[in-house]
Each structure stands twice: as C-alpha cells, then as structure tokens.
C-alpha cells in the first residue's frame, strides 16, 4: 500500500495544498483563499519527501458527508482535518476506495457538496463554492 492510501486508511492527511491520487502520486494545489476558491494545479510533488518531512502537522481526516455519483460511479466526499482552517474534498470509487484527495490549508473546511453530473460543487464554511468537472483527467477516477 502506498503512502497516500495508507494515510487515508488511518484517516489522516499527508500534507496540505496537494491533489493526492490513489496511485501514490501528487500535484501541488493552490486555492486562492476561502472567499473565491479558485483552484490552480501545479507540478508534481514528491510524496516520499512529504512523508519523511511533512511541511505542517497533519490532522485527522473528518469526512462530513458523502454524495453518491450517478450510475454507480462512486462518491464525492468533503470535510476538514480537525485543525480548523484545513479542508479537503475527494472522490471514492463504487467500493468506497480512495481515487483522489485534494487537501487545502487556504480553502477552509468544506461543509456541503452536490453533484450535477459531470460537475461536483463543494461549499466551504464561508459559503463559497468550488466546482470541479469530474470527467477532467485530474478528477476522473
């Protein structure tokens, strides 16, 4: 089991401001504050280096809710990591196995989600919405 899946199995996050994939890879993820929620994905992140020397104290993952995707495609989840300002969103497969997890230290906890296939809308505790296209290669399973 790779570090991304092992962390998820322990209900923990590895680090913040990353898009983690179930295959053990990650990319930088920058969300422009809790008010606007503009997402920009960057280059690859060395997950092994994050595990060896995490940039912040990792918090435990608290899934607030999950929303079922149509046609048995799985679920989207959202929540926080118990440190107050940290949030995450993710996608699970039909077996509820992790497909990807986006963690953020600037987007705040995500408290709501809805799906209008292929779009998923995630609302943070400021009432701002981040919309992702779940058919985009970055957010597909």
């Amino acid at each position: 089991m790779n570090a991304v899946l092992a962390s998820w199995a322990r209900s923990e996050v590895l680090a913040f401001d990353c898009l983690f994939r179930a295959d053990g890879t990650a990319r930088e993820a920058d969300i422009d504050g809790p008010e606007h929620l503009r997402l920009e994905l960057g280059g690859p992140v060395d997950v092994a280096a994050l595990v060896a020397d995490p940039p912040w104290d990792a918090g435990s993952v608290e899934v607030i809710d999950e929303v079922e995707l149509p046609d048995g495609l799985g679920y989207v989840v959202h929540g926080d990591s118990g440190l107050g300002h940290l949030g995450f969103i993710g996608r699970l497969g039909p077996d509820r196995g992790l497909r990807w997890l986006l963690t953020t230290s600037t987007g705040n906890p995500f408290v709501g989600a809805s799906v209008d296939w292929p779009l998923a809308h995630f609302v943070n505790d400021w009432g701002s919405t981040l919309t992702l296209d779940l058919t985009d290669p970055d957010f597909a399973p």
Side-chain angles (χ1 to χ4, degrees):
M1 181 179 298
N2 66 50
V4 171
L5 293 176
S7 176
W8 180 255
R10 291 189 309 269
S11 296
E12 296 175 352
V13 291
L14 290 172
F16 307 111
D17 304 318
C18 287
L19 172 63
F20 295 100
R21 306 250 347 141
D23 65 3
T25 61
R27 290 179 64 184
E28 295 172 347
D30 181 39
I31 291 184
D32 185 20
E35 186 176 357
H36 302 293
L37 294 183
R38 288 185 292 263
L39 173 65
E40 184 175 324
L41 294 177
V45 172
D46 184 346
V47 175
L50 287 179
V51 171
D53 187 24
W56 298 283
D57 292 331
S60 61
V61 171
E62 181 182 342
V63 174
I64 293 174
D65 195 16
E66 66 181 31
V67 177
E68 189 169 4
L69 299 175
D71 301 324
L73 293 173
Y75 306 84
V76 292
V77 295
H78 61 88
D80 66 27
S81 66
L83 297 178
H85 65 290
L86 305 169
F88 74 89
I89 57 178
R91 183 168 181 177
L92 308 179
D95 61 354
R96 288 193 166 72
L98 182 69
R99 299 304 190 255
W100 56 261
L101 181 70
L102 177 87
T103 57
T104 175
S105 63
T106 56
N108 281 31
F110 288 90
V111 297
S114 63
V115 174
D116 179 23
W117 188 259
L119 303 178
H121 312 281
F122 300 93
V123 179
N124 70 6
D125 62 353
W126 281 39
S128 300
T129 301
L130 174 65
T131 298
L132 301 177
D133 181 346
L134 297 179
T135 60
D136 180 301
D138 287 314
F139 303 108

